[in-house]
Amino acid sequence: MGMRRPEQALWDRLSRVMGNRWRADRVENKILQGMPDVYFGVSAQLHGWIELKVLPTFPKAAKTAVKVPHYTAWQANWHWTHRDVGTRSWIAVQHEDLLYFFPSRLALALFEGMTGTEFRTSGTVVDLQKATDLDIIDALLRSR
């Protein structure tokens, strides 16, 4: 097998942490632009969509805009418009061993570029080195 793309590696890592605590499907939709990567369910109270992104570098200056590679206007729009009809969704951005969960209400701000300070304080963060399934569930619940 060839080298995994960063988002695929994040999916692998997240899947290992969550194990059988969730039912999750990776979705590759080549027809509908902007649809998130993962549909999951933990319970009747916690289910929805997650867009997986990897941020290879972080700006050194706190006021520099953080631009998430390959996060498109289509994706931001999907989160924003589906939020209006009650769909739960998150954007999960990995930087090194930290995974930030952003709720759909921040989809446009994330697309437009938050400052480094806004990025670090707006997302609910999980340390993937130590994370358990309960840490991921807690982060999703806290970032709604």
Side-chain angles (χ1 to χ4, degrees), residues 87-124:
T87 302
R88 296 177 189 160
S89 65
W90 295 261
I91 303 95
V93 182
Q94 178 186 355
H95 174 64
E96 296 176 346
D97 286 321
L98 297 179
L99 184 59
Y100 296 84
F101 287 97
F102 296 91
S104 58
R105 65 183 162 77
L106 296 176
L108 295 179
L110 191 61
F111 174 72
E112 291 168 353
M114 300 176 171
T115 67
T117 301
E118 290 168 337
F119 184 94
R120 290 181 196 267
T121 58
S122 297
T124 303

Side-chain angles (χ1 to χ4, degrees), residues 9-97:
L10 173 55
W11 165 246
D12 294 343
R13 198 167 184 183
L14 194 55
S15 295
R16 276 193 304 276
V17 171
M18 290 302 291
N20 64 359
R21 285 295 299 238
W22 70 352
R23 175 67 177 109
D25 295 304
R26 179 90 193 261
V27 178
E28 287 292 333
N29 190 332
K30 302 293 182 195
I31 306 298
L32 179 65
Q33 290 183 314
M35 188 173 164
D37 299 314
V38 177
Y39 183 78
F40 78 97
V42 173
S43 68
Q45 291 75 36
L46 183 57
H47 56 89
W49 293 88
I50 302 174
E51 180 64 43
L52 302 174
K53 294 296 176 191
V54 175
L55 184 63
T57 59
F58 203 88
K60 294 191 187 324
K63 293 188 178 192
T64 301
V66 174
K67 289 297 212 172
V68 178
H70 312 292
Y71 182 53
T72 67
W74 288 103
Q75 292 167 326
N77 185 59
W78 190 99
H79 286 281
W80 191 255
T81 57
H82 284 74
R83 173 183 170 267
D84 288 346
V85 294
T87 302
R88 296 177 189 160
S89 65
W90 295 261
I91 303 95
V93 182
Q94 178 186 355
H95 174 64
E96 296 176 346
D97 286 321

Side-chain angles (χ1 to χ4, degrees), residues 129-144:
Q129 290 282 358
K130 306 173 193 171
T132 67
D133 54 348
L134 295 176
D135 295 321
I136 301 295
I137 291 168
D138 181 61
L140 288 164
L141 289 170
R142 287 187 298 127
S143 64
R144 289 198 284 188

